[in-house]
Structure formats: structure tokens, C-alpha cells
């Protein structure tokens, strides 16, 4: 494997025009067959190449799926907070086949947030907010306001 990496690097250096090709041909013994350079038969080398291509395609598909999931999350957040839409995110979702959903843990978080918002907006949620207020403080303020108004009225009206 180390030889494979070294030969890849030296071929890249050779492609840049910086030399390095002479060492490669000396190590390979003059063969131009890549299978022989890696110590494999032609069939083994072709199978190896197929595996590498399949693995790369799988990684690329998984990466595209993750990118689409992230784009889906951004679209959802933009809708929630009424932000401008992004065409790039919509394109990523379309490229993934439009069957992209939020990851399961994020979907749970979003559903919990929606439930909390719905509770706050409902009548019961408003009543709970009233219960959280300090009623004694409200009574004291109302009494103080009433007393102040009464005193102001007594000062202006001498009949009372």
C-alpha cells in the first residue's frame, strides 16, 4: 500500500513537470502495467479498481444525503423564523431526490418545539401564564392606584 501511495505521488509530481518519473521507472523495473506495479494480476487489479469506485460512489451518495438533510434543516429554520429562502438549499434537496427528511433526533427536537409553541398560543397556555403572575403584587398595585385616584379626587373636590 505504501508503494501505491508513493507511486501516486511520484506520478503527480511527474505530471507537474518536476521530474520524479525516473525513480518510478527504476522501481517498477520498466513495466508500464499498473497491475504488475501493484503486484496483482490484471483481474485482481480490475476488481480492486471496481471496489474503489463503488466505495467512492457510496461515500459520495452518503455525503450528498447528509448535505441534503442539512439543507432541509436550514429550509425548515428559515420557514420557522420567516427568513428569506435559499435557492442553493432547495437545489441540494432536489439533487438528493426530494425524499430527504430531517434526521430522527432533529425531527424530535422540532416536534417538541412546535408542541411548546402551540401550548403557549392556546387558551390554556395563556391561563397558565396568568397563574405564573404574582397576584399579590397585582392586587397591591391596583389598591395603590385606587388609593391614589381617591386622594386626587378628594383634593379636587371639596364636597367629599
Amino acid at each position: 500500500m505504501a508503494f501505491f501511495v508513493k507511486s501516486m505521488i511520484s506520478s503527480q509530481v511527474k505530471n507537474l513537470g518536476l521530474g520524479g518519473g525516473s525513480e518510478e521507472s527504476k522501481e517498477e523495473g520498466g513495466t508500464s502495467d499498473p497491475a504488475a506495479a501493484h503486484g496483482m494480476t490484471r483481474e485482481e487489479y480490475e476488481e480492486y479498481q471496481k471496489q474503489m469506485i463503488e466505495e467512492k460512489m457510496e461515500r459520495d451518495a452518503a455525503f450528498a444525503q447528509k448535505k441534503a438533510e442539512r439543507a432541509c434543516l436550514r429550509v425548515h429554520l428559515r420557514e420557522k423564523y420567516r427568513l428569506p429562502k435559499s435557492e442553493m438549499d432547495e437545489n441540494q434537496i432536489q439533487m438528493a431526490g426530494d425524499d430527504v427528511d430531517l434526521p430522527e433526533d432533529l425531527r424530535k427536537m422540532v416536534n417538541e418545539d412546535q408542541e411548546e409553541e402551540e401550548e403557549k398560543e392556546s387558551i390554556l397556555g395563556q391561563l397558565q401564564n396568568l397563574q405564573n403572575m404574582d397576584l399579590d403584587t397585582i392586587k397591591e398595585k391596583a389598591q395603590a392606584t385606587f388609593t391614589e385616584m381617591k386622594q386626587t379626587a378628594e383634593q379636587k373636590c371639596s364636597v367629599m
Side-chain angles (χ1 to χ4, degrees):
M1 186 66 173
F3 177 76
F4 178 70
V5 172
K6 185 177 179 183
S7 67
M8 284 182 57
I9 292 172
S10 74
S11 67
Q12 289 175 352
V13 170
K14 186 173 106 179
N15 290 340
L16 292 173
L18 300 175
S22 60
E23 293 176 15
E24 181 181 351
S25 62
K26 289 178 187 175
E27 290 179 13
E28 289 181 10
T31 60
S32 62
D33 186 22
H38 297 295
M40 301 180 201
T41 65
R42 187 80 166 149
E43 292 81 24
E44 289 174 337
Y45 184 74
E46 288 175 3
E47 184 65 30
Y48 172 75
Q49 289 294 353
K50 283 182 186 178
Q51 277 183 326
M52 296 300 287
I53 291 170
E54 288 174 5
E55 288 174 5
K56 183 180 183 331
M57 289 173 60
E58 289 173 8
R59 286 192 310 270
D60 290 346
F63 180 69
Q65 181 70 23
K66 286 288 184 187
K67 280 178 65 174
E69 287 175 357
R70 291 182 194 118
C72 186
L73 176 64
R74 287 191 298 268
V75 166
H76 175 76
L77 291 174
R78 283 190 179 101
E79 288 174 1
K80 179 177 180 180
Y81 296 109
R82 295 178 179 89
L83 298 172
K85 294 182 178 181
S86 170
E87 193 173 313
M88 185 176 73
D89 287 341
E90 291 174 5
N91 290 341
Q92 283 180 344
I93 293 171
Q94 286 177 353
M95 285 174 39
D98 285 333
D99 60 340
V100 179
D101 289 327
L102 291 175
E104 188 65 32
D105 53 345
L106 292 176
R107 186 178 307 127
K108 287 179 185 177
M109 289 171 47
V110 168
N111 289 340
E112 289 172 2
D113 287 347
Q114 286 177 342
E115 289 171 6
E116 288 177 12
E117 288 179 13
E118 289 172 1
E119 286 177 12
K120 288 179 184 177
E121 292 174 359
S122 70
I123 294 173
L124 292 176
Q126 296 297 327
L127 289 176
Q128 286 177 346
N129 284 341
L130 288 176
Q131 288 176 349
N132 292 338
M133 291 183 173
D134 187 13
L135 292 179
D136 292 332
T137 305
I138 293 173
K139 285 181 183 178
E140 289 173 7
K141 286 183 181 181
Q143 189 66 36
T145 304
F146 179 73
T147 306
E148 184 180 317
M149 288 174 59
K150 185 177 176 184
Q151 289 174 353
T152 304
E154 286 176 355
Q155 290 173 355
K156 289 186 179 180
C157 182
S158 58
V159 176
M160 293 175 90

